[in-house]
Amino acid sequence: MEAADQADEAQRRKAIETEFRRLEESAMYSAQMQFEQTKQWRSVNLALGLPATTLAAVAGTTALVESTGRIAAGILALVSAGFGAILTTVNASHRMNQAAAAANAYLEIQTAARQAWEIDLLTWPPDEARAALAELTARRDEQNKTAEPPNRRSYRKAKANIQSGGQSYAVDEAHSHQNSR
């Protein structure tokens, strides 16, 4: 292979590596935001579900125990029904599960991208590396179509978690310290 061809191949391989790294970073932020969404929907589910259940139980008990407590029991039952209606409309349980599934799908993409550029890229022919990049990009794009867009709070919490080391591994820290010696 001529020197010019080698330089072109090295440049192409570097561009593919850079794109794998971008894909890894994108998936990392997307996964973390979806995990934050999961936490928020779990909180909404509990914040609406617990009062609805508790008020329904108290309303039933009040209605059975006191014949004069019919009005109080009715009010409690209506408030409980209101919580239940909001919970059904918001569908927090489904959204929580959907966000968790999206987060895990993004984690799979993140891991695959990292392994591709750290482990496989040097041994792949450029066309094979490009095909792997295209496949991972398609997976990420498909996941983007189905994942619910995160809110600002999820974005801020995800960014803070990542910046504080929430996505780093102890092995990477140990490896970094060994290389700096």
Side-chain angles (χ1 to χ4, degrees):
M1 186 182 288
E2 291 183 30
D5 290 340
Q6 286 178 338
D8 286 347
E9 184 176 313
Q11 185 178 4
R12 185 170 185 220
R13 191 176 299 278
K14 183 63 181 163
I16 291 171
E17 177 186 344
T18 300
E19 200 57 31
F20 270 125
R21 286 178 178 236
R22 285 185 186 117
L23 189 59
E24 177 190 10
E25 182 178 348
S26 170
M28 175 176 53
Y29 275 88
S30 295
Q32 201 62 48
M33 285 186 284
Q34 290 298 325
F35 280 128
E36 293 301 330
Q37 291 279 102
T38 300
K39 293 175 197 174
Q40 289 175 25
W41 286 119
R42 183 183 314 123
S43 295
V44 168
N45 195 38
L46 291 173
L48 294 172
L50 289 175
T53 305
T54 303
L55 289 172
V58 171
T61 303
T62 303
L64 292 174
V65 172
E66 298 180 26
S67 60
T68 59
R70 290 186 327 216
I71 294 176
I75 291 171
L76 289 172
L78 287 173
V79 172
S80 173
F83 275 114
I86 293 169
L87 189 59
T88 299
T89 302
V90 170
N91 205 358
S93 178
H94 174 72
R95 288 180 172 193
M96 176 185 71
N97 291 332
Q98 189 177 24
N104 285 314
Y106 282 121
L107 280 181
E108 290 173 11
I109 295 165
Q110 177 187 349
T111 300
R114 185 186 65 247
Q115 290 173 348
W117 72 263
E118 281 211 38
I119 299 168
D120 299 323
L121 186 58
L122 288 176
T123 61
W124 278 336
D127 290 341
E128 193 174 327
R130 180 63 184 100
L133 177 60
E135 186 271 329
L136 268 181
T137 301
R139 278 176 56 191
R140 192 263 331 263
D141 293 347
E142 191 59 35
Q143 187 56 44
N144 284 346
K145 290 177 189 173
T146 61
E148 187 172 315
N151 57 41
R152 284 192 188 279
R153 182 171 184 250
S154 293
Y155 173 77
R156 284 193 306 271
K157 291 190 75 129
K159 185 176 178 182
N161 188 31
I162 290 168
Q163 290 176 342
S164 70
Q167 281 268 342
S168 58
Y169 296 95
V171 69
D172 293 334
E173 290 294 319
H175 188 257
S176 170
H177 291 300
Q178 286 175 350
N179 287 342
S180 64
R181 291 183 190 173

